[in-house]
Coordinates of all heavy atoms in Angstrom, one line a residue:
M44 N 31.4 194.6 -69.1 CA 30.4 194.8 -68.1 C 29.6 196.0 -68.5 O 30.2 197.0 -69.0 CB 31.1 195.0 -66.7 CG 30.1 195.2 -65.6 SD 30.8 195.5 -64.0 CE 32.1 194.3 -63.8
S45 N 28.3 195.9 -68.4 CA 27.4 197.1 -68.7 C 27.6 198.2 -67.8 O 28.0 198.0 -66.6 CB 26.0 196.6 -68.8 OG 25.5 196.5 -67.4
P46 N 27.3 199.4 -68.2 CA 27.4 200.6 -67.3 C 26.5 200.4 -66.1 O 26.9 200.8 -65.0 CB 27.0 201.8 -68.2 CG 27.2 201.3 -69.6 CD 27.0 199.9 -69.6
G47 N 25.4 199.8 -66.3 CA 24.5 199.6 -65.1 C 25.1 198.7 -64.1 O 25.0 199.0 -62.9
A48 N 25.7 197.6 -64.5 CA 26.3 196.7 -63.6 C 27.5 197.3 -62.9 O 27.7 197.1 -61.7 CB 26.7 195.4 -64.4
Q49 N 28.3 198.1 -63.7 CA 29.4 198.8 -63.1 C 29.0 199.7 -62.0 O 29.6 199.8 -60.9 CB 30.2 199.5 -64.2 CG 31.4 200.3 -63.7 CD 32.5 199.3 -63.2 OE1 32.7 198.2 -63.8 NE2 33.2 199.7 -62.1
K50 N 27.9 200.5 -62.2 CA 27.4 201.4 -61.2 C 26.9 200.6 -60.0 O 27.2 201.1 -58.9 CB 26.2 202.2 -61.8 CG 25.6 203.2 -60.9 CD 24.6 204.1 -61.6 CE 23.8 205.0 -60.7 NZ 24.4 205.8 -59.7
I51 N 26.2 199.5 -60.2 CA 25.8 198.7 -59.0 C 27.0 198.2 -58.2 O 27.0 198.3 -57.0 CB 24.9 197.5 -59.5 CG1 23.6 198.1 -60.1 CG2 24.7 196.5 -58.4 CD1 22.7 197.0 -60.8
L52 N 28.0 197.7 -58.9 CA 29.2 197.3 -58.3 C 29.8 198.4 -57.4 O 30.2 198.2 -56.3 CB 30.2 196.7 -59.3 CG 31.5 196.3 -58.7 CD1 31.3 195.2 -57.7 CD2 32.5 195.8 -59.8
E53 N 30.0 199.5 -58.0 CA 30.6 200.7 -57.3 C 29.8 201.0 -56.1 O 30.4 201.3 -55.0 CB 30.7 201.9 -58.3 CG 31.8 201.7 -59.3 CD 31.7 202.8 -60.4 OE1 31.0 203.7 -60.3 OE2 32.5 202.6 -61.4
E54 N 28.5 201.0 -56.2 CA 27.6 201.4 -55.0 C 27.7 200.3 -54.0 O 27.8 200.5 -52.8 CB 26.2 201.6 -55.5 CG 26.0 202.9 -56.3 CD 24.6 203.1 -56.8 OE1 23.7 202.3 -56.3 OE2 24.4 204.0 -57.6
A55 N 27.7 199.0 -54.4 CA 27.8 197.9 -53.5 C 29.1 197.9 -52.7 O 29.1 197.6 -51.5 CB 27.7 196.6 -54.2
L56 N 30.2 198.3 -53.3 CA 31.5 198.4 -52.6 C 31.6 199.5 -51.6 O 32.5 199.5 -50.8 CB 32.6 198.5 -53.7 CG 32.8 197.3 -54.6 CD1 33.9 197.5 -55.6 CD2 33.2 196.0 -53.7
Q57 N 30.6 200.4 -51.6 CA 30.5 201.4 -50.6 C 29.7 201.0 -49.4 O 29.7 201.7 -48.4 CB 29.9 202.7 -51.2 CG 30.7 203.3 -52.4 CD 32.1 203.6 -52.1 OE1 32.4 204.2 -51.0 NE2 33.1 203.1 -52.9
L58 N 29.1 199.9 -49.4 CA 28.2 199.4 -48.3 C 29.1 199.0 -47.1 O 30.3 198.6 -47.3 CB 27.4 198.2 -48.8 CG 26.3 198.4 -49.8 CD1 25.8 197.1 -50.3 CD2 25.2 199.3 -49.2
P59 N 28.5 199.1 -45.9 CA 29.3 198.6 -44.8 C 29.5 197.1 -45.0 O 28.7 196.4 -45.7 CB 28.3 198.8 -43.6 CG 27.3 199.8 -44.1 CD 27.2 199.7 -45.6
P60 N 30.5 196.5 -44.3 CA 30.9 195.1 -44.6 C 29.7 194.1 -44.3 O 29.6 193.2 -45.1 CB 32.0 194.9 -43.6 CG 32.6 196.2 -43.4 CD 31.5 197.2 -43.5
D61 N 28.9 194.3 -43.3 CA 27.8 193.4 -43.0 C 26.8 193.4 -44.1 O 26.2 192.4 -44.5 CB 27.2 193.6 -41.6 CG 26.6 194.9 -41.4 OD1 27.2 195.9 -42.0 OD2 25.7 195.0 -40.7
E62 N 26.5 194.6 -44.6 CA 25.5 194.7 -45.7 C 26.1 194.1 -47.0 O 25.3 193.5 -47.8 CB 25.1 196.2 -45.9 CG 24.3 196.7 -44.8 CD 23.8 198.1 -45.0 OE1 23.7 198.6 -46.2 OE2 23.5 198.8 -44.0
L63 N 27.3 194.3 -47.3 CA 28.0 193.8 -48.5 C 28.0 192.2 -48.4 O 27.7 191.6 -49.4 CB 29.4 194.3 -48.6 CG 30.1 193.8 -49.9 CD1 29.4 194.2 -51.1 CD2 31.5 194.4 -49.9
D64 N 28.3 191.7 -47.2 CA 28.2 190.2 -47.0 C 26.8 189.7 -47.3 O 26.6 188.7 -48.0 CB 28.6 189.9 -45.6 CG 30.1 190.1 -45.3 OD1 30.8 190.3 -46.3 OD2 30.4 190.0 -44.1
W65 N 25.8 190.4 -46.8 CA 24.4 190.0 -47.0 C 24.1 190.0 -48.5 O 23.5 189.1 -49.1 CB 23.5 191.0 -46.3 CG 22.0 190.7 -46.6 CD1 21.2 189.8 -46.1 CD2 21.2 191.4 -47.6 NE1 20.0 189.8 -46.6 CE2 20.0 190.8 -47.6 CE3 21.5 192.4 -48.5 CZ2 19.0 191.3 -48.4 CZ3 20.5 192.9 -49.3 CH2 19.2 192.3 -49.3
L66 N 24.5 191.1 -49.2 CA 24.2 191.2 -50.6 C 24.9 190.1 -51.4 O 24.3 189.4 -52.3 CB 24.7 192.6 -51.2 CG 24.5 192.8 -52.6 CD1 23.1 192.8 -53.0 CD2 25.1 194.2 -53.0
V67 N 26.1 189.8 -51.1 CA 26.9 188.7 -51.8 C 26.2 187.4 -51.6 O 26.0 186.6 -52.5 CB 28.4 188.7 -51.3 CG1 29.0 187.4 -51.8 CG2 29.1 189.9 -51.8
E68 N 25.8 187.2 -50.3 CA 25.1 185.9 -50.0 C 23.8 185.8 -50.8 O 23.5 184.7 -51.3 CB 24.8 185.8 -48.5 CG 24.3 184.5 -48.0 CD 25.4 183.4 -48.1 OE1 26.6 183.7 -48.0 OE2 25.0 182.3 -48.2
C69 N 23.1 186.8 -50.9 CA 21.8 186.8 -51.6 C 22.1 186.5 -53.1 O 21.3 185.7 -53.7 CB 21.1 188.1 -51.5 SG 20.3 188.4 -49.9
L70 N 23.1 187.1 -53.6 CA 23.4 186.8 -55.0 C 23.9 185.4 -55.3 O 23.6 184.8 -56.3 CB 24.5 187.8 -55.5 CG 24.0 189.3 -55.6 CD1 25.2 190.2 -55.9 CD2 23.0 189.4 -56.7
L71 N 24.6 184.8 -54.3 CA 25.1 183.5 -54.4 C 23.9 182.5 -54.3 O 23.9 181.4 -54.9 CB 26.2 183.2 -53.4 CG 27.5 183.9 -53.7 CD1 28.5 183.6 -52.5 CD2 28.1 183.5 -55.0
I72 N 23.0 182.8 -53.4 CA 21.9 181.9 -53.1 C 21.0 181.7 -54.3 O 20.4 180.7 -54.5 CB 21.1 182.3 -51.8 CG1 21.9 182.0 -50.6 CG2 19.7 181.7 -51.8 CD1 21.3 182.5 -49.3
K73 N 20.9 182.8 -55.1 CA 20.0 182.7 -56.3 C 20.2 181.5 -57.2 O 19.3 181.1 -57.9 CB 20.0 184.0 -57.0 CG 21.1 184.2 -58.0 CD 20.8 185.3 -59.0 CE 21.7 185.3 -60.2 NZ 21.6 184.2 -61.1
D74 N 21.5 181.0 -57.2 CA 21.8 179.9 -58.1 C 21.5 178.6 -57.4 O 21.7 177.5 -58.1 CB 23.3 180.0 -58.5 CG 23.6 181.1 -59.5 OD1 22.6 181.5 -60.2 OD2 24.7 181.5 -59.5
K75 N 21.1 178.6 -56.2 CA 20.9 177.3 -55.5 C 19.4 176.9 -55.6 O 18.5 177.7 -55.8 CB 21.3 177.4 -54.1 CG 22.8 177.7 -53.9 CD 23.2 177.8 -52.5 CE 24.7 178.0 -52.4 NZ 25.1 178.1 -51.1
S76 N 19.1 175.6 -55.4 CA 17.8 175.2 -55.3 C 17.1 175.8 -54.1 O 17.7 176.2 -53.2 CB 17.7 173.7 -55.2 OG 18.1 173.3 -53.9
P77 N 15.7 175.9 -54.2 CA 15.0 176.5 -53.1 C 15.3 175.8 -51.7 O 15.4 176.5 -50.7 CB 13.5 176.3 -53.5 CG 13.6 176.3 -54.9 CD 14.9 175.6 -55.3
A78 N 15.4 174.5 -51.8 CA 15.7 173.8 -50.5 C 17.1 174.2 -50.0 O 17.3 174.4 -48.8 CB 15.6 172.3 -50.7
E79 N 18.1 174.2 -50.8 CA 19.5 174.6 -50.4 C 19.5 176.0 -49.9 O 20.1 176.3 -48.9 CB 20.5 174.5 -51.6 CG 20.8 173.1 -52.0 CD 21.7 173.1 -53.2 OE1 21.4 173.8 -54.2 OE2 22.8 172.5 -53.2
A80 N 18.8 176.9 -50.6 CA 18.7 178.3 -50.1 C 18.1 178.4 -48.8 O 18.5 179.2 -47.9 CB 18.0 179.1 -51.2
E81 N 17.0 177.6 -48.6 CA 16.3 177.7 -47.3 C 17.2 177.2 -46.2 O 17.2 177.8 -45.1 CB 15.0 176.8 -47.4 CG 14.1 177.0 -46.2 CD 12.8 176.2 -46.5 OE1 12.2 176.3 -47.5 OE2 12.4 175.5 -45.5
V82 N 17.9 176.1 -46.4 CA 18.7 175.5 -45.4 C 19.9 176.5 -45.1 O 20.2 176.8 -43.9 CB 19.3 174.2 -45.8 CG1 20.4 173.7 -44.9 CG2 18.2 173.1 -45.9
E83 N 20.5 177.1 -46.1 CA 21.5 178.0 -45.9 C 21.1 179.3 -45.1 O 21.7 179.8 -44.2 CB 22.2 178.4 -47.2 CG 23.5 179.2 -47.0 CD 24.3 179.2 -48.2 OE1 24.2 178.3 -49.1 OE2 25.1 180.1 -48.3
A84 N 19.9 179.7 -45.5 CA 19.3 180.9 -44.8 C 19.0 180.6 -43.3 O 19.3 181.4 -42.4 CB 18.0 181.4 -45.5
A85 N 18.6 179.4 -43.0 CA 18.3 179.0 -41.7 C 19.6 178.9 -40.9 O 19.7 179.4 -39.7 CB 17.6 177.6 -41.6
W86 N 20.7 178.4 -41.5 CA 22.0 178.3 -40.8 C 22.5 179.7 -40.6 O 23.1 180.0 -39.5 CB 23.0 177.5 -41.6 CG 23.0 176.1 -41.2 CD1 22.6 175.0 -42.0 CD2 23.3 175.5 -39.9 NE1 22.6 173.8 -41.2 CE2 23.1 174.1 -40.0 CE3 23.8 176.1 -38.7 CZ2 23.4 173.3 -38.9 CZ3 24.0 175.2 -37.7 CH2 23.8 173.8 -37.8
D87 N 22.4 180.6 -41.6 CA 22.8 182.0 -41.4 C 22.1 182.7 -40.2 O 22.8 183.4 -39.4 CB 22.6 182.8 -42.7 CG 23.5 182.4 -43.8 OD1 24.6 181.8 -43.6 OD2 23.2 182.8 -45.0
S88 N 20.8 182.4 -40.1 CA 20.1 183.0 -39.0 C 20.6 182.4 -37.7 O 20.7 183.2 -36.7 CB 18.6 182.7 -39.1 OG 18.1 183.4 -40.3
E89 N 20.8 181.1 -37.6 CA 21.3 180.5 -36.4 C 22.7 181.0 -36.0 O 22.9 181.3 -34.8 CB 21.3 179.0 -36.6 CG 21.8 178.2 -35.3 CD 20.9 178.4 -34.1 OE1 19.8 178.9 -34.2 OE2 21.4 178.0 -33.0
I90 N 23.5 181.2 -37.0 CA 24.9 181.7 -36.7 C 24.8 183.1 -36.2 O 25.5 183.4 -35.2 CB 25.8 181.6 -38.0 CG1 26.1 180.1 -38.3 CG2 27.0 182.4 -37.9 CD1 26.6 179.9 -39.7
K91 N 24.0 183.9 -36.8 CA 23.8 185.3 -36.4 C 23.3 185.3 -35.0 O 23.7 186.1 -34.1 CB 22.9 186.1 -37.3 CG 22.8 187.5 -36.9 CD 21.9 188.3 -37.8 CE 21.7 189.8 -37.5 NZ 21.9 190.2 -36.1
R92 N 22.3 184.5 -34.7 CA 21.7 184.4 -33.3 C 22.8 184.1 -32.3 O 22.9 184.7 -31.2 CB 20.6 183.4 -33.2 CG 19.9 183.3 -31.9 CD 18.9 182.2 -31.8 NE 19.5 180.9 -31.8 CZ 20.2 180.3 -30.8 NH1 20.3 181.0 -29.6 NH2 20.7 179.1 -30.9
R93 N 23.6 183.1 -32.6 CA 24.6 182.7 -31.7 C 25.7 183.8 -31.5 O 26.2 184.0 -30.4 CB 25.3 181.4 -32.1 CG 24.3 180.2 -32.0 CD 25.0 178.9 -32.5 NE 24.0 177.8 -32.6 CZ 24.4 176.6 -32.7 NH1 25.7 176.2 -32.7 NH2 23.5 175.6 -32.7
L94 N 26.1 184.4 -32.6 CA 27.1 185.5 -32.5 C 26.5 186.7 -31.7 O 27.2 187.3 -30.9 CB 27.5 185.9 -33.8 CG 28.4 185.0 -34.6 CD1 28.6 185.5 -36.0 CD2 29.7 184.7 -33.9
D95 N 25.2 187.0 -31.9 CA 24.6 188.0 -31.1 C 24.6 187.7 -29.6 O 24.8 188.6 -28.8 CB 23.2 188.3 -31.6 CG 23.1 189.0 -32.9 OD1 24.1 189.5 -33.4 OD2 22.0 189.0 -33.5
E96 N 24.3 186.4 -29.3 CA 24.4 186.0 -27.9 C 25.8 186.2 -27.3 O 25.9 186.6 -26.1 CB 23.9 184.6 -27.7 CG 22.4 184.3 -27.9 CD 22.0 182.9 -27.7 OE1 22.9 182.0 -27.8 OE2 20.9 182.6 -27.5
I97 N 26.8 185.8 -28.0 CA 28.2 186.0 -27.6 C 28.5 187.5 -27.4 O 29.0 187.9 -26.3 CB 29.2 185.3 -28.6 CG1 29.0 183.8 -28.5 CG2 30.6 185.7 -28.2 CD1 29.7 183.1 -29.7
D98 N 28.2 188.3 -28.4 CA 28.5 189.7 -28.3 C 27.8 190.4 -27.2 O 28.3 191.3 -26.6 CB 28.1 190.4 -29.7 CG 29.0 190.0 -30.8 OD1 30.1 189.4 -30.5 OD2 28.6 190.2 -32.0
S99 N 26.5 190.0 -26.9 CA 25.8 190.6 -25.8 C 26.2 190.1 -24.4 O 25.7 190.7 -23.4 CB 24.3 190.4 -26.0 OG 23.9 189.1 -25.8
G100 N 26.9 189.1 -24.4 CA 27.3 188.5 -23.1 C 26.2 187.6 -22.5 O 26.3 187.2 -21.4
A101 N 25.2 187.3 -23.3 CA 24.1 186.4 -22.8 C 24.6 184.9 -22.6 O 24.1 184.2 -21.8 CB 23.0 186.4 -23.8
V102 N 25.7 184.6 -23.3 CA 26.3 183.3 -23.1 C 27.8 183.4 -22.7 O 28.4 184.4 -23.1 CB 26.2 182.3 -24.3 CG1 24.7 182.0 -24.6 CG2 26.8 182.9 -25.5
E103 N 28.3 182.5 -22.0 CA 29.7 182.5 -21.6 C 30.5 181.5 -22.5 O 30.1 180.4 -22.6 CB 29.8 182.2 -20.1 CG 31.2 182.2 -19.6 CD 31.3 181.7 -18.2 OE1 30.3 181.7 -17.5 OE2 32.5 181.5 -17.8
M104 N 31.5 182.0 -23.1 CA 32.4 181.2 -23.9 C 33.3 180.3 -22.9 O 33.8 180.8 -21.9 CB 33.3 182.0 -24.8 CG 32.5 182.8 -25.8 SD 31.5 181.9 -26.9 CE 32.9 181.1 -27.9
I105 N 33.5 179.1 -23.2 CA 34.3 178.2 -22.5 C 35.5 177.8 -23.3 O 35.3 177.3 -24.4 CB 33.6 176.9 -22.0 CG1 32.4 177.3 -21.2 CG2 34.5 176.0 -21.3 CD1 31.5 176.1 -20.9
P106 N 36.7 178.1 -22.9 CA 37.9 177.7 -23.7 C 37.9 176.2 -23.9 O 37.5 175.4 -23.0 CB 39.1 178.1 -22.8 CG 38.6 179.1 -21.8 CD 37.1 178.8 -21.6
L107 N 38.3 175.8 -25.1 CA 38.3 174.4 -25.4 C 39.0 173.5 -24.4 O 38.5 172.5 -24.1 CB 38.9 174.2 -26.8 CG 38.9 172.8 -27.4 CD1 37.4 172.3 -27.5 CD2 39.6 172.7 -28.7
E108 N 40.1 174.0 -24.0 CA 40.9 173.2 -23.0 C 40.1 173.0 -21.7 O 40.4 172.1 -20.9 CB 42.3 173.7 -22.8 CG 42.4 175.1 -22.3 CD 42.4 176.2 -23.4 OE1 42.3 175.8 -24.6 OE2 42.4 177.3 -23.1
D109 N 39.2 173.9 -21.4 CA 38.4 173.8 -20.1 C 37.1 172.9 -20.3 O 36.5 172.5 -19.3 CB 38.0 175.1 -19.6 CG 39.2 175.9 -19.1 OD1 40.3 175.3 -19.0 OD2 39.1 177.2 -19.0
A110 N 36.7 172.7 -21.5 CA 35.5 172.0 -21.8 C 35.7 170.5 -21.6 O 36.8 170.0 -21.9 CB 35.0 172.3 -23.2
E111 N 34.7 169.8 -21.1 CA 34.7 168.4 -21.0 C 34.6 167.8 -22.4 O 33.6 168.1 -23.1 CB 33.7 167.9 -20.1 CG 33.9 168.3 -18.7 CD 32.9 167.7 -17.7 OE1 32.3 166.6 -18.1 OE2 32.6 168.3 -16.7
M112 N 35.5 167.0 -22.8 CA 35.4 166.4 -24.1 C 35.6 164.9 -24.0 O 36.2 164.4 -23.1 CB 36.6 166.9 -25.0 CG 36.5 168.4 -25.3 SD 37.9 168.9 -26.3 CE 39.2 168.9 -25.1
D113 N 35.0 164.2 -25.0 CA 35.1 162.7 -24.9 C 36.5 162.3 -25.5 O 37.2 163.1 -26.0 CB 33.9 162.0 -25.6 CG 33.9 162.3 -27.1 OD1 35.0 162.4 -27.7 OD2 32.8 162.3 -27.7
A114 N 36.8 161.1 -25.3 CA 38.1 160.6 -25.7 C 38.4 160.7 -27.2 O 39.6 161.0 -27.5 CB 38.2 159.1 -25.3
T115 N 37.4 160.6 -28.0 CA 37.6 160.8 -29.4 C 38.1 162.1 -29.8 O 39.1 162.3 -30.5 CB 36.3 160.4 -30.2 OG1 35.9 159.2 -29.8 CG2 36.5 160.5 -31.7
I116 N 37.5 163.2 -29.2 CA 37.8 164.5 -29.5 C 39.2 164.8 -29.0 O 40.1 165.4 -29.6 CB 36.8 165.5 -28.9 CG1 35.5 165.3 -29.7 CG2 37.3 166.9 -29.1 CD1 34.3 166.1 -29.1
R117 N 39.5 164.3 -27.7 CA 40.8 164.5 -27.2 C 41.9 163.9 -28.0 O 43.0 164.5 -28.2 CB 40.9 164.0 -25.7 CG 40.1 164.8 -24.7 CD 40.2 164.2 -23.4 NE 39.3 164.7 -22.4 CZ 39.5 165.8 -21.7 NH1 40.7 166.4 -21.7 NH2 38.6 166.2 -20.9
A118 N 41.7 162.7 -28.5 CA 42.6 162.0 -29.4 C 42.9 162.8 -30.7 O 44.0 162.9 -31.1 CB 42.1 160.6 -29.7
R119 N 41.8 163.3 -31.2 CA 42.0 164.1 -32.5 C 42.8 165.4 -32.2 O 43.6 165.8 -33.1 CB 40.6 164.5 -33.0 CG 39.9 163.4 -33.7 CD 38.6 163.8 -34.3 NE 37.8 162.7 -34.7 CZ 36.5 162.8 -34.9 NH1 35.9 163.9 -34.9 NH2 35.9 161.7 -35.3
Q120 N 42.7 166.0 -31.1 CA 43.4 167.2 -30.8 C 44.9 166.9 -30.7 O 45.7 167.6 -31.1 CB 43.0 167.7 -29.4 CG 42.0 168.8 -29.5 CD 41.8 169.5 -28.2 OE1 41.9 168.8 -27.1 NE2 41.6 170.8 -28.2
R121 N 45.2 165.7 -30.1 CA 46.7 165.3 -29.9 C 47.3 164.9 -31.3 O 48.5 165.1 -31.4 CB 46.8 164.2 -28.9 CG 46.4 164.7 -27.5 CD 46.6 163.5 -26.5 NE 45.9 163.9 -25.3 CZ 45.0 163.1 -24.7 NH1 44.7 162.0 -25.3 NH2 44.4 163.5 -23.7
G122 N 46.5 164.3 -32.1 CA 47.0 163.7 -33.3 C 47.1 164.7 -34.4 O 47.8 165.0 -35.2

């Protein structure tokens, strides 16, 4: 590994976990096609939005056992 890459790695490992996750994701996305990267970025945004809603209390979580489920899902749970 080059000294420059080693320095970048050392600095990256000092980042807060969420920033390190973002950096890793960006590095992984660079190898994907633009369409794949766009879809993945959209899902990442949606996941973050939903987690933010949960964390802020804007939405109420419903335990799985309390949620209404169709017969297929119930059967999968049992099996």
Side-chain angles (χ1 to χ4, degrees):
M44 182 180 317
S45 74
Q49 182 65 37
K50 182 174 172 43
I51 291 170
L52 176 61
E53 289 170 6
E54 290 178 10
L56 293 174
Q57 300 302 314
L58 292 171
D61 60 327
E62 290 182 24
L63 182 57
D64 290 346
W65 173 83
L66 178 60
V67 169
E68 189 69 27
C69 287
L70 292 171
L71 292 173
I72 286 176
K73 82 166 193 64
D74 288 336
K75 296 182 179 182
S76 73
E79 287 176 308
E81 187 175 313
V82 169
E83 190 161 335
W86 271 114
D87 287 345
S88 295
E89 180 64 14
I90 291 165
K91 182 179 181 336
R92 182 188 68 76
R93 292 180 186 195
L94 289 172
D95 288 345
E96 286 180 341
I97 292 167
D98 290 342
S99 72
V102 296
E103 180 183 346
M104 299 295 293
I105 300 172
L107 182 61
E108 58 272 2
D109 293 346
E111 291 184 26
M112 297 180 286
D113 66 32
T115 305
I116 295 173
R117 289 181 193 271
R119 287 184 189 164
Q120 264 191 324
R121 293 183 195 124

